[in-house]
């Protein structure tokens, strides 16, 4: 299909065809949607830009125009999605030189996003308000996410065979396509495939709850599932308990925060959450880590002042 592209074709047309040839069927829908969004931005920002007109200056102008409305990291993602297509155009002889070389990434200053999470006392109050009966329900789902820090889609995909009751562990190796037509999907990235140690109480509870259920079917799914449904249930429990209202994703932040305050290393927290690197964990929980560092400084000073 790309053989039909000429140098004088519009860049957004070339990019649309490149996505179809190289990305369609090879990436997850959520990632595909990002490429399609990038294509729509090209058409919006540079509707008359032709493939042969891609130079370092025209490409930098495209990036600059995009950066006016986006943060630097988002502009960086935009650049990376364009670069693969452009380098292929260079290889095909449609563009003489790589216009992405030495590109400068700009962007709006990131908004401060303080993560929402509960402290240990608030979490205890929330869990005390859950209706944990003899059958699986969304309250059990909330408890599982709070104690494991799983992503929403990961927790939806849990099946009975993912539990290793003898080793007190839970395998995370897939997600559930709750935004689409349902069914299993791969995890966010390879680092997300992991085993999580769980406490003996959870082991006893879920060994009873999943007994007799199909081993390879998700334990929480029956029909369509919406993130808003579980968030509404969680909101009701938060209000009943008289604590700040958080989302299911806030339970993941709560889990990580409690581990960090308990002294668990950043490396261990990153592995448990399925982050691709410790840098992600450090960026996400920077203010918590800074709090802990301040406590460490106080501890060091107290220790030194006791020396004679």
């Amino acid at each position: 299909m790309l053989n039909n592209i000429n140098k004088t074709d519009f860049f957004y047309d070339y990019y649309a065809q490149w996505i179809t040839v190289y990305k369609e069927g090879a990436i997850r829908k959520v990632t595909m949607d990002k490429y399609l969004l990038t294509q729509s931005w090209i058409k919006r920002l540079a509707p008359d830009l032709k493939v042969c007109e891609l130079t370092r200056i025209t490409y930098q102008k495209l990036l600059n125009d995009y950066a006016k409305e986006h943060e630097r990291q988002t502009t960086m993602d935009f650049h990376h999605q364009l670069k693969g297509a452009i380098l292929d155009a260079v290889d095909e002889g449609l563009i003489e030189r790589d216009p992405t070389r030495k590109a400068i990434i700009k962007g709006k200053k990131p908004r401060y996003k303080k993560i929402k999470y509960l402290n240990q006392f608030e979490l205890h109050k929330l869990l005390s308000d859950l209706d944990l009966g003899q059958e699986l329900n969304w309250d059990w789902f909330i408890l599982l996410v709070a104690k494991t820090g799983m992503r929403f889609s990961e927790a939806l995909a849990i099946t009975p065979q993912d539990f290793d009751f003898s080793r007190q562990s839970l395998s995370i190796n897939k997600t559930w396509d709750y935004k689409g037509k349902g069914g299993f999907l791969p995890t966010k990235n390879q680092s997300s495939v992991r085993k999580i140690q769980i406490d003996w109480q959870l082991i006893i509870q879920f060994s009873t709850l999943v007994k007799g259920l199909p081993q390879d079917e998700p334990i929480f799914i029956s029909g369509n599932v919406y993130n808003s449904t579980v968030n509404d249930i969680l909101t009701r429990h938060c209000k009943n308990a008289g604590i700040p209202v958080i989302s299911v994703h806030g339970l993941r932040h709560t889990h990580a925060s409690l581990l960090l305050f308990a002294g668990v290393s950043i490396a261990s927290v990153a592995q448990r959450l399925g982050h691709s690197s410790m840098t992600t964990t450090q960026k996400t929980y920077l203010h918590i880590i800074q709090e802990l560092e301040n406590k460490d400084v106080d501890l060091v000073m107290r220790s030194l002042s006791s020396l004679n």
Side-chain angles (χ1 to χ4, degrees):
M1 188 182 293
L2 285 177
N3 292 334
N4 299 326
I5 289 287
N6 297 310
K7 293 182 178 182
T8 54
D9 288 341
F10 291 123
F11 178 50
Y12 68 81
D13 277 337
Y14 164 76
Y15 189 74
Q17 290 198 41
W18 181 84
I19 292 172
T20 303
V21 172
Y22 288 103
K23 298 301 177 181
E24 200 169 83
I27 56 179
R28 299 167 65 195
K29 183 182 180 300
V30 65
T31 308
M32 185 65 174
D33 289 342
K34 291 176 182 177
Y35 276 95
L36 293 173
L37 183 61
T38 293
Q39 192 253 335
S40 69
W41 270 103
I42 299 170
K43 190 172 183 178
R44 175 179 165 182
L45 297 173
D48 301 321
L49 181 64
K50 296 176 182 178
V51 176
C52 61
E53 295 172 342
L54 268 171
T55 63
R56 285 186 60 198
I57 290 176
T58 57
Y59 181 70
Q60 186 66 57
K61 184 179 183 305
L62 176 61
L63 287 183
N64 292 350
D65 289 343
Y66 184 83
K68 289 175 184 175
E69 300 185 45
H70 298 86
E71 294 179 8
R72 187 178 183 279
Q73 183 56 55
T74 310
T75 307
M76 178 69 80
D77 295 338
F78 180 75
H79 165 62
H80 285 154
Q81 290 197 331
L82 291 178
K83 190 172 182 178
I86 291 173
L87 291 180
D88 282 345
V90 174
D91 289 343
E92 293 296 325
L94 299 173
I95 305 173
E96 286 187 15
R97 297 183 184 86
D98 175 16
T100 68
R101 190 175 67 89
K102 294 185 178 179
I104 306 299
I105 308 301
K106 304 175 185 178
K108 295 196 299 184
K109 188 176 180 180
R111 289 172 297 142
Y112 177 67
K113 306 180 190 80
K114 186 172 182 179
I115 63 170
K116 288 187 176 181
Y117 65 96
L118 303 176
N119 60 37
Q120 192 162 354
F121 174 72
E122 292 165 340
L123 181 60
H124 278 302
K125 291 188 73 175
L126 169 64
L127 299 185
S128 297
D129 194 66
L130 298 180
D131 179 17
L132 304 173
Q134 300 300 311
E135 294 185 2
L136 286 164
N137 58 17
W138 290 119
D139 285 17
W140 281 110
F141 180 90
I142 290 169
L143 177 69
L144 187 63
V145 172
K147 285 198 167 189
T148 60
M150 281 188 288
R151 298 178 178 94
F152 182 69
S153 59
E154 292 173 343
L156 288 177
I158 293 298
T159 65
Q161 66 186 8
D162 293 326
F163 289 93
D164 187 337
F165 297 116
S166 61
R167 291 186 171 85
Q168 288 189 211
S169 69
L170 180 60
S171 293
I172 314 297
N173 49 42
K174 56 195 174 304
T175 61
W176 186 259
D177 183 21
Y178 70 95
K179 292 181 179 178
K181 297 179 181 178
F184 293 118
L185 289 174
T187 54
K188 186 176 182 180
N189 49 51
Q190 193 55 43
S191 303
S192 297
V193 177
R194 61 202 188 278
K195 288 185 185 293
I196 295 177
Q197 291 300 122
I198 51 181
D199 64 86
W200 64 268
Q201 266 186 318
L202 213 56
I203 286 291
I204 293 171
Q205 290 166 327
F206 274 86
S207 62
T208 302
L209 289 165
V210 304
K211 197 172 184 180
L213 295 180
Q215 287 294 297
D216 57 352
E217 293 182 15
I219 62 178
F220 292 108
I221 302 294
S222 57
N224 294 331
V225 179
Y226 303 99
N227 189 280
S228 58
T229 302
V230 188
N231 278 330
D232 287 345
I233 294 170
L234 180 54
T235 296
R236 189 182 73 241
H237 284 302
C238 287
K239 288 180 178 178
N240 287 345
I243 60 176
V245 173
I246 62 166
S247 63
V248 173
H249 196 70
L251 288 175
R252 177 171 162 86
H253 290 321
T254 297
H255 183 78
S257 302
L258 293 180
L259 293 181
L260 290 168
F261 278 120
V264 178
S265 71
I266 295 173
S268 295
V269 173
Q271 194 279 330
R272 190 170 175 88
L273 294 180
H275 284 163
S276 55
S277 72
M278 283 191 292
T279 305
T280 304
T281 315
Q282 288 171 321
K283 284 182 179 178
T284 307
Y285 302 104
L286 179 62
H287 68 286
I288 295 173
I289 292 167
Q290 286 173 339
E291 274 187 62
L292 293 171
E293 286 175 348
N294 290 337
K295 287 183 180 179
D296 286 343
V297 169
D298 291 340
L299 182 60
V300 169
M301 291 301 102
R302 285 200 302 271
S303 299
L304 291 177
S305 63
S306 65
L307 297 174
N308 293 320

